[in-house]
Every structure is written in structure tokens, then in C-alpha cells.
Amino acid sequence: MPNRFFGPSFDSETPSRLYALSIGFSPDTRELFDAVDADALDGATALGFPDAIRGYGALVEHLPVYALEIDAAQFPEDTRPAREARHWLATREARGDWVELRLRADPDGAGLLYESIESEGRPVTMQAEPLAAPTRDRLTRATRLNEHLAQRRTLRSVLPSVPIEGVVVLDVGQGSAAALVDGSGDVCAYVDLGAGVLRHAGTYPSAMQDFCLVHGPAVILSHWHYDHFHGANKTPQAQQLVWIAPNQKLGPGPQSAMAQAILSNGTLLVWNGRRPLRHGALTLERCTGSGQNRSGIAVWVEGPGGADAILLPGDAGYADIPSLNRGRPRRVRSLVVAHHGGAAPGTPPPDPHHADSRAVISCGLPNRYGHPLTRALSDLGGQGWSIGAPTSEIDDRMTYMRNGILGHTGLTWGAPLPPQACSCGCTIQATKS
């Protein structure tokens, strides 16, 4: 049974304490914590603490888990919550990634506590204390993914062997999901299976019904952020698939709960390799940056006859992808823009100026992050890509619904995408190219 965090929003008491891991930090801007109710966990583990995610997962399916966000940009300047948020962010780097958070409900608080993945969040005031070493060590052991590491031959065996005819970058709001399509129009793999979450849950388009699962596609998860896996809660049968995911440090809350949902219902194969993993048309490349965004998996999809690849970098920066930063950088045919058009260190690869070359941004409008950032659009323009402004009249390379039409964007190597033949009622057919 999935954790209640992944279900509809509900009302509950504000927890007094959380054990939390920082899973996203931007100086002067925001921080996101993945957390579990500390009192509930302490009570559930009074007789012993499991040392692996399989044991911890049996608990986390039923424990109250939360996300907690501090976002200085959401408050008017010179207000108390704005000052508190800026102070929090300015002093966070010295506190480490694991913390115990003490909370109280406060309508003018600088934090937002999310009790479900599609809730608006309630304002809280919080204090952070270093997590006691024994608790920190137990949580680190309990949430690690090491026992699910897969060998390269196992990973290759679940990746598609057929040629890939195109990639459909799906309109899932402020999130990321892309379907890899073969010559029969069948979805043979996904790169991320995300959706808009938390304050951006409303960006998920009403016309988006289900993902296509008819042919049992593998899911390649770029990294463990919610907006890259929440599609598997929108279409719960997706949890029964084979998932390839990077070996990253998980938080004790929703991230561990999702890992357990995949373990309980499907197959989780964790990749810890540093050398690129190649099979068929796909190359998986481990990114080298810090934090979950920048240390995940970038995916290259090679075209028919060895044509230059479509690059899907997830939220990694371009500087984090080794193939883009060697003496002879790997060339791209088309690009899914890094980090939804947000901050992405490094320089985008150049537009090769093929008639079918596209750079497409997967984001939802409006979003509180300001994606796509002006700087990201400028950097893309400097490399020859033309995205346009985020308006329905100009831009045709951003995935958001316009006039009731989903913004699914097809990327190909010249030939049109084959029509979908599954007849399963899914809504993933490309609506633009």
C-alpha cells in the first residue's frame, strides 16, 4: 500500500519534530527537506532499528512523511518570513545535510510543510539541530540503496534493444517525463516518469490521462526528486515496472517511501557505475556534480544508423556530463534542456542546425521558480538554439498546454514519429514537433 503522502491532500496535526535530509539547496533562494515524523519513527523502532531500506521500507510505507521547503523568493521583501528565510539559507551550509527539525504552526512562518505530494503546504516556523550521531548513522544505513546495486549485464538486459525512432517529451506540468518510441510506435522505455508536485501540482494538465505501459517499458530515473517520479503515482501500475535509478543518498520520507513502493510492486535496479553504460541505442552516463540534481543519470538516445544522439540530462548541469566536456565533446541532434530551463552550470551543446534539431524545455506555467530563466534562454541562444519566449504565440518548444492541447513534443531524426498503435487509452501521442 503506498504511503499516504502520495495520495490526496488531507488535514493533520503539525508534527513537533522531523528527522530530515536536505535534498535540494540553492544559496539565497530555497532548500527542500525530505522528512519523517521523528516521534512516530522513534515509537515504531523502540524495539530495534532496521539497517537496510527493505526493513525500513516496511515501516516507511505507514509512517507520516513530509516535504518541507524554505523559499525566500515567495515572500515580499522586508517582511518577517522573508528575513527569516534569508537568514536560514545564509546559515545552512554549516549545519550539514541531516538535521532534526523542530516545528510549530505559524501563519507567518518561513517554511512550508507538505503533508502530501499535491498539497499547498502550511506555513511553519522551524529550528534545526544537528542530528545525534547514533540516529544519523542508523538513518543513513536504513535509507541506503546499496543492497539493490545491479551488475552491468543485468542493467543491459532490461534496456530496449530495438532502434529508437523518436523521443516524446511529455507535458506533465512542472516535472519531467519522456517516452522512447520504436518503429512500431510502441513505448519501449521512459526517461523519468514525473509530474508537477507540491506547489506546482496544479501545473499537471487536466488532459493528461495515463502513461502507456502496454509493452512493459523500463523507466530510467535521472535522480530521486519528486517531480521526476510522481507520474508513477498518477498511473500507479507504473510502480510494477523495472526501474533503473542512480545510487544516491535518499531522504527518510517520501524518497524512501517511493523506493519501497517500487521494491514492493516492481523491480528496482540501482546503478552505481562511473563508466558509461551502453546498450542498443542508449547510453547512460553518470553525472559528476554535487547534490541529487547534479549527480544523477544523463541519457543519450542514438538515432538510426548511428545518427547523433538526443540528450536528456535530467536536472544535471551541462558541466556535470563528462561526454560534453572532453577534448572532442559528443555532438547532439536534439536537446531536452537541463533542469526545466533553470540553473544548469556549464555551456549547452551547440545546435547542429539540422532541420529536425530541437531544444525543448519541460516545464509548467506558471511556476514559482521562474523557469525558464532568462539566463538559460540566453545561454541556449548563444549556442544557436531558438526557444522563444514563454508565450503561446511565440514558443513551440516548451511543454505546457495551450488552448486545451497537450504540449507533448516529438524529437526525431527526420522521419515522422510512427502513430501510436496501443489503443490503451493513454495520452502520450506527440502534439507538436
Side-chain angles (χ1 to χ4, degrees), residues 163-227:
I164 306 299
E165 295 297 323
V167 175
V168 183
V169 186
L170 299 173
D171 180 0
V172 293
Q174 183 64 22
S176 182
L180 311 188
V181 179
D182 67 17
S184 299
D186 299 333
V187 178
C188 52
Y190 285 98
V191 178
D192 289 327
L193 204 67
V197 299
L198 306 180
R199 285 183 294 162
H200 297 127
T203 65
Y204 190 78
S206 58
M208 182 66 185
Q209 299 297 316
D210 281 316
F211 297 92
C212 185
L213 309 180
V214 170
H215 301 283
V219 179
I220 303 165
L221 184 65
S222 65
H223 63 295
W224 283 94
H225 277 182
Y226 312 152
D227 59 325

Coordinates of all heavy atoms in Angstrom, one line a residue, residues 163-227:
P163 N 15.9 -0.4 -32.3 CA 16.2 1.0 -32.7 C 15.1 2.0 -32.1 O 13.9 1.6 -32.1 CB 16.2 1.0 -34.2 CG 16.5 -0.4 -34.6 CD 15.8 -1.2 -33.6
I164 N 15.5 3.1 -31.7 CA 14.6 4.1 -31.2 C 14.3 5.1 -32.4 O 15.2 5.7 -32.9 CB 15.1 4.9 -30.0 CG1 15.6 3.9 -28.9 CG2 14.1 5.9 -29.5 CD1 14.5 3.1 -28.4
E165 N 13.0 5.3 -32.7 CA 12.7 6.2 -33.8 C 12.4 7.6 -33.4 O 12.4 8.5 -34.2 CB 11.4 5.6 -34.5 CG 11.6 4.3 -35.2 CD 12.6 4.4 -36.3 OE1 12.7 5.4 -37.0 OE2 13.4 3.4 -36.5
G166 N 12.2 7.8 -32.1 CA 12.0 9.2 -31.6 C 11.7 9.2 -30.1 O 11.6 8.2 -29.4
V167 N 11.7 10.4 -29.6 CA 11.5 10.7 -28.2 C 10.3 11.7 -28.1 O 10.3 12.7 -28.8 CB 12.8 11.3 -27.5 CG1 12.5 11.7 -26.1 CG2 13.9 10.4 -27.6
V168 N 9.4 11.4 -27.2 CA 8.3 12.3 -27.0 C 8.5 12.9 -25.6 O 8.4 12.2 -24.6 CB 6.9 11.6 -27.1 CG1 5.8 12.6 -26.9 CG2 6.7 10.9 -28.4
V169 N 8.8 14.2 -25.5 CA 8.9 14.9 -24.3 C 7.5 15.3 -23.8 O 6.8 16.1 -24.5 CB 9.8 16.1 -24.4 CG1 10.1 16.8 -23.1 CG2 11.1 15.7 -25.1
L170 N 7.1 14.7 -22.7 CA 5.7 14.8 -22.3 C 5.3 16.0 -21.5 O 6.2 16.5 -20.7 CB 5.3 13.5 -21.5 CG 5.5 12.2 -22.3 CD1 5.3 11.0 -21.4 CD2 4.5 12.1 -23.5
D171 N 4.1 16.5 -21.7 CA 3.6 17.7 -21.0 C 3.1 17.1 -19.6 O 1.9 16.7 -19.6 CB 2.5 18.3 -21.8 CG 1.9 19.5 -21.1 OD1 2.3 19.9 -20.0 OD2 1.0 20.1 -21.7
V172 N 3.9 17.2 -18.6 CA 3.4 16.8 -17.3 C 3.5 17.9 -16.3 O 3.6 17.7 -15.1 CB 4.3 15.6 -16.8 CG1 4.1 14.4 -17.6 CG2 5.8 16.0 -16.8
G173 N 3.4 19.1 -16.7 CA 3.5 20.3 -15.9 C 4.9 20.5 -15.5 O 5.8 20.3 -16.2
Q174 N 5.1 21.1 -14.3 CA 6.5 21.4 -13.8 C 7.1 20.1 -13.3 O 7.2 19.8 -12.1 CB 6.4 22.4 -12.7 CG 7.8 22.9 -12.2 CD 8.6 23.6 -13.2 OE1 8.1 24.1 -14.2 NE2 9.9 23.6 -13.0
G175 N 7.5 19.3 -14.3 CA 8.1 18.0 -14.0 C 8.8 17.5 -15.2 O 9.0 18.3 -16.2
S176 N 9.1 16.2 -15.3 CA 9.9 15.7 -16.4 C 9.5 14.2 -16.7 O 9.5 13.4 -15.7 CB 11.4 15.8 -16.2 OG 12.1 15.3 -17.3
A177 N 9.2 13.9 -17.9 CA 8.9 12.6 -18.4 C 9.1 12.5 -19.9 O 8.6 13.4 -20.6 CB 7.5 12.1 -18.0
A178 N 9.8 11.5 -20.4 CA 10.0 11.4 -21.8 C 9.8 9.9 -22.2 O 10.4 9.1 -21.6 CB 11.3 11.9 -22.3
A179 N 9.0 9.7 -23.3 CA 8.8 8.3 -23.8 C 9.7 8.1 -25.0 O 9.8 8.9 -25.9 CB 7.3 8.2 -24.2
L180 N 10.4 6.9 -25.0 CA 11.2 6.5 -26.1 C 10.4 5.6 -27.0 O 9.8 4.6 -26.5 CB 12.5 5.8 -25.7 CG 13.3 6.5 -24.6 CD1 14.6 5.8 -24.4 CD2 13.5 8.0 -24.9
V181 N 10.2 5.9 -28.3 CA 9.3 5.2 -29.1 C 10.1 4.4 -30.2 O 11.0 4.9 -30.8 CB 8.3 6.2 -29.8 CG1 7.4 5.5 -30.7 CG2 7.6 7.0 -28.7
D182 N 9.6 3.2 -30.5 CA 10.3 2.4 -31.5 C 9.6 2.5 -32.8 O 8.6 3.3 -33.0 CB 10.4 0.9 -31.1 CG 9.1 0.2 -31.0 OD1 8.1 0.7 -31.5 OD2 9.0 -0.9 -30.3
G183 N 10.0 1.7 -33.8 CA 9.4 1.9 -35.2 C 8.0 1.5 -35.3 O 7.4 1.8 -36.3
S184 N 7.5 0.7 -34.3 CA 6.1 0.3 -34.4 C 5.2 1.3 -33.6 O 4.0 1.1 -33.5 CB 5.9 -1.1 -33.7 OG 6.6 -2.0 -34.5
G185 N 5.8 2.4 -33.1 CA 5.0 3.3 -32.3 C 4.8 2.9 -30.9 O 4.1 3.6 -30.1
D186 N 5.5 1.9 -30.4 CA 5.4 1.4 -29.1 C 6.4 2.1 -28.1 O 7.5 2.4 -28.5 CB 5.7 -0.1 -29.0 CG 4.7 -0.9 -29.8 OD1 3.6 -0.5 -30.0 OD2 5.1 -2.0 -30.3
V187 N 5.9 2.4 -26.9 CA 6.8 3.0 -25.9 C 7.7 1.9 -25.3 O 7.1 0.9 -24.7 CB 6.1 3.7 -24.8 CG1 7.0 4.2 -23.7 CG2 5.2 4.8 -25.4
C188 N 9.0 1.9 -25.5 CA 9.9 0.9 -25.1 C 10.7 1.3 -23.8 O 11.3 0.4 -23.2 CB 10.8 0.4 -26.2 SG 11.7 1.7 -27.0
A189 N 10.6 2.5 -23.5 CA 11.3 3.0 -22.2 C 10.8 4.4 -21.9 O 10.4 5.1 -22.8 CB 12.8 2.9 -22.4
Y190 N 11.0 4.8 -20.7 CA 10.8 6.2 -20.3 C 12.1 6.7 -19.6 O 12.8 5.9 -19.0 CB 9.7 6.3 -19.2 CG 8.3 6.2 -19.8 CD1 7.6 5.0 -19.7 CD2 7.6 7.2 -20.4 CE1 6.3 4.8 -20.2 CE2 6.4 7.1 -20.9 CZ 5.7 5.9 -20.8 OH 4.4 5.8 -21.3
V191 N 12.4 7.9 -19.9 CA 13.4 8.6 -19.1 C 12.7 9.6 -18.2 O 12.1 10.6 -18.6 CB 14.4 9.4 -20.0 CG1 15.4 10.1 -19.2 CG2 15.1 8.4 -21.0
D192 N 12.6 9.2 -16.9 CA 11.8 9.9 -15.9 C 10.3 9.6 -16.2 O 9.9 9.4 -17.3 CB 12.1 11.4 -15.8 CG 13.5 11.6 -15.2 OD1 13.9 10.9 -14.3 OD2 14.1 12.7 -15.6
L193 N 9.6 9.7 -15.1 CA 8.1 9.5 -15.2 C 7.5 10.4 -14.1 O 7.0 10.0 -13.1 CB 7.8 8.0 -14.9 CG 6.4 7.6 -15.4 CD1 6.5 7.5 -17.0 CD2 6.1 6.2 -14.9
G194 N 7.7 11.7 -14.4 CA 7.4 12.7 -13.4 C 6.1 13.4 -13.6 O 5.3 13.1 -14.6
A195 N 5.8 14.4 -12.8 CA 4.6 15.3 -12.8 C 4.8 16.4 -11.9 O 5.7 16.4 -11.0 CB 3.4 14.5 -12.4
G196 N 4.0 17.5 -12.0 CA 4.1 18.6 -11.1 C 3.8 18.2 -9.7 O 2.9 17.4 -9.5
V197 N 4.5 18.7 -8.7 CA 4.3 18.3 -7.3 C 4.3 19.6 -6.4 O 4.6 20.7 -6.8 CB 5.5 17.4 -6.9 CG1 5.5 16.1 -7.7 CG2 6.8 18.1 -6.9
L198 N 3.9 19.3 -5.2 CA 3.9 20.3 -4.1 C 3.1 21.6 -4.7 O 2.0 21.5 -5.1 CB 5.3 20.6 -3.6 CG 6.1 19.4 -3.2 CD1 7.5 19.7 -2.7 CD2 5.3 18.6 -2.1
R199 N 3.8 22.8 -4.6 CA 3.1 24.0 -5.0 C 2.8 24.0 -6.5 O 2.0 24.8 -7.0 CB 4.0 25.2 -4.6 CG 3.9 25.6 -3.2 CD 4.7 26.8 -2.9 NE 6.1 26.6 -3.2 CZ 7.0 27.6 -3.3 NH1 6.6 28.8 -3.3 NH2 8.3 27.3 -3.5
H200 N 3.5 23.1 -7.3 CA 3.3 23.1 -8.7 C 2.4 21.9 -9.1 O 2.3 21.6 -10.3 CB 4.6 22.9 -9.4 CG 5.5 24.1 -9.1 ND1 6.8 24.0 -8.7 CD2 5.3 25.5 -9.3 CE1 7.3 25.2 -8.5 NE2 6.4 26.1 -8.9
A201 N 1.7 21.3 -8.2 CA 0.8 20.1 -8.6 C -0.2 20.6 -9.6 O -0.6 19.8 -10.5 CB 0.2 19.5 -7.3
G202 N -0.7 21.8 -9.5 CA -1.7 22.3 -10.4 C -1.3 22.5 -11.8 O -2.1 22.8 -12.7
T203 N 0.0 22.5 -12.0 CA 0.5 22.6 -13.4 C 0.3 21.3 -14.2 O 0.5 21.3 -15.4 CB 2.0 23.0 -13.5 OG1 2.8 22.0 -12.9 CG2 2.2 24.3 -12.7
Y204 N 0.0 20.2 -13.5 CA -0.2 18.9 -14.3 C -1.5 19.1 -15.1 O -2.5 19.4 -14.6 CB -0.3 17.8 -13.3 CG -0.3 16.4 -13.9 CD1 0.9 15.8 -14.3 CD2 -1.5 15.7 -14.1 CE1 0.9 14.6 -14.9 CE2 -1.5 14.5 -14.7 CZ -0.3 13.9 -15.1 OH -0.3 12.6 -15.7
P205 N -1.4 18.9 -16.4 CA -2.5 19.2 -17.3 C -3.7 18.3 -17.1 O -3.5 17.0 -17.0 CB -1.9 19.1 -18.7 CG -0.7 18.2 -18.6 CD -0.2 18.4 -17.2
S206 N -4.9 18.8 -17.1 CA -6.1 18.0 -16.9 C -6.3 17.0 -18.0 O -6.9 16.0 -17.8 CB -7.3 18.9 -16.8 OG -7.4 19.7 -17.9
A207 N -5.8 17.3 -19.2 CA -6.0 16.4 -20.4 C -5.0 15.2 -20.3 O -5.2 14.3 -21.1 CB -5.8 17.2 -21.7
M208 N -4.0 15.2 -19.5 CA -3.1 14.1 -19.4 C -3.7 13.0 -18.5 O -4.0 13.2 -17.4 CB -1.8 14.6 -18.7 CG -0.7 13.5 -18.6 SD -0.1 13.0 -20.2 CE 1.0 11.6 -19.7
Q209 N -4.0 11.9 -19.2 CA -4.7 10.8 -18.5 C -3.7 9.8 -18.0 O -3.4 9.7 -16.8 CB -5.7 10.2 -19.5 CG -6.8 11.1 -19.9 CD -7.6 11.7 -18.8 OE1 -8.1 10.9 -17.9 NE2 -7.9 13.0 -18.8
D210 N -3.2 8.9 -18.8 CA -2.3 7.8 -18.4 C -1.1 7.7 -19.3 O -1.1 8.1 -20.4 CB -3.1 6.5 -18.4 CG -4.0 6.3 -17.3 OD1 -3.6 6.6 -16.1 OD2 -5.2 5.8 -17.5
F211 N -0.1 7.2 -18.7 CA 1.1 6.8 -19.4 C 0.9 5.5 -20.1 O 0.2 4.7 -19.5 CB 2.4 6.8 -18.5 CG 2.7 8.1 -17.8 CD1 2.2 8.5 -16.6 CD2 3.6 9.0 -18.5 CE1 2.5 9.7 -16.0 CE2 3.9 10.2 -17.9 CZ 3.3 10.5 -16.7
C212 N 1.6 5.2 -21.2 CA 1.4 4.0 -21.9 C 2.4 2.9 -21.2 O 3.6 3.1 -21.2 CB 1.7 4.1 -23.4 SG 1.4 2.6 -24.3
L213 N 1.8 1.8 -20.8 CA 2.6 0.8 -20.1 C 2.4 -0.6 -20.8 O 2.8 -1.6 -20.3 CB 2.1 0.7 -18.6 CG 2.1 2.0 -17.8 CD1 1.7 1.7 -16.4 CD2 3.5 2.6 -17.8
V214 N 1.7 -0.6 -21.9 CA 1.3 -1.8 -22.6 C 2.5 -2.8 -22.8 O 2.4 -4.0 -22.6 CB 0.6 -1.6 -23.9 CG1 0.4 -2.8 -24.7 CG2 -0.7 -0.9 -23.6
H215 N 3.6 -2.3 -23.2 CA 4.7 -3.1 -23.6 C 5.8 -3.2 -22.5 O 6.9 -3.6 -22.7 CB 5.4 -2.6 -24.9 CG 4.4 -2.6 -26.0 ND1 4.0 -3.8 -26.7 CD2 3.6 -1.6 -26.6 CE1 3.1 -3.5 -27.6 NE2 2.9 -2.2 -27.6
G216 N 5.4 -2.9 -21.3 CA 6.3 -3.1 -20.1 C 7.6 -2.3 -20.2 O 8.7 -2.8 -20.0
P217 N 7.5 -1.0 -20.5 CA 8.8 -0.2 -20.7 C 9.6 -0.1 -19.4 O 9.0 0.0 -18.3 CB 8.3 1.2 -21.2 CG 6.9 1.3 -20.6 CD 6.3 -0.1 -20.6
A218 N 10.9 -0.1 -19.5 CA 11.7 0.2 -18.4 C 11.6 1.7 -18.1 O 11.4 2.5 -19.0 CB 13.2 -0.2 -18.6
V219 N 11.9 2.1 -16.9 CA 11.9 3.5 -16.5 C 13.3 3.8 -16.1 O 13.9 3.2 -15.1 CB 10.9 3.9 -15.4 CG1 11.0 5.4 -15.0 CG2 9.5 3.5 -15.8
I220 N 14.0 4.8 -16.7 CA 15.3 5.3 -16.3 C 15.1 6.5 -15.5 O 14.6 7.6 -16.1 CB 16.2 5.5 -17.5 CG1 16.3 4.2 -18.4 CG2 17.6 6.0 -17.1 CD1 16.9 4.5 -19.8
L221 N 15.4 6.5 -14.2 CA 15.1 7.7 -13.4 C 16.4 8.5 -13.3 O 17.5 8.0 -12.9 CB 14.7 7.2 -12.0 CG 14.4 8.2 -10.9 CD1 13.1 9.0 -11.3 CD2 14.2 7.6 -9.6
S222 N 16.3 9.7 -13.7 CA 17.6 10.5 -13.7 C 18.1 10.8 -12.3 O 19.3 10.8 -12.1 CB 17.3 11.8 -14.5 OG 16.4 12.7 -13.8
H223 N 17.2 11.1 -11.4 CA 17.5 11.3 -10.0 C 16.2 11.2 -9.2 O 15.1 11.1 -9.7 CB 18.2 12.7 -9.8 CG 17.4 13.9 -10.1 ND1 16.9 14.1 -11.4 CD2 16.9 14.9 -9.4 CE1 16.3 15.3 -11.4 NE2 16.2 15.7 -10.2
W224 N 16.4 11.3 -7.9 CA 15.2 10.9 -7.0 C 14.4 12.1 -6.6 O 13.7 12.0 -5.5 CB 15.8 10.2 -5.8 CG 16.2 8.8 -6.0 CD1 17.4 8.3 -6.4 CD2 15.3 7.6 -6.0 NE1 17.4 7.0 -6.5 CE2 16.1 6.5 -6.3 CE3 14.0 7.5 -5.7 CZ2 15.6 5.2 -6.3 CZ3 13.5 6.2 -5.8 CH2 14.3 5.1 -6.1
H225 N 14.3 13.2 -7.3 CA 13.4 14.3 -6.9 C 12.0 13.9 -7.3 O 11.8 13.3 -8.4 CB 13.9 15.6 -7.6 CG 15.0 16.2 -6.8 ND1 15.5 17.5 -7.1 CD2 15.6 15.9 -5.6 CE1 16.4 17.8 -6.2 NE2 16.5 16.9 -5.3
Y226 N 11.1 14.4 -6.5 CA 9.7 14.0 -6.6 C 9.1 14.3 -8.0 O 8.3 13.5 -8.6 CB 8.8 14.8 -5.6 CG 9.3 14.8 -4.2 CD1 8.9 15.9 -3.4 CD2 10.0 13.8 -3.7 CE1 9.4 15.9 -2.1 CE2 10.5 13.8 -2.4 CZ 10.1 14.9 -1.6 OH 10.6 15.0 -0.3
D227 N 9.5 15.4 -8.6 CA 8.9 15.8 -9.9 C 9.4 15.0 -11.1 O 8.9 15.1 -12.2 CB 9.1 17.3 -10.2 CG 10.6 17.7 -10.2 OD1 11.4 17.1 -9.5 OD2 10.9 18.6 -11.0

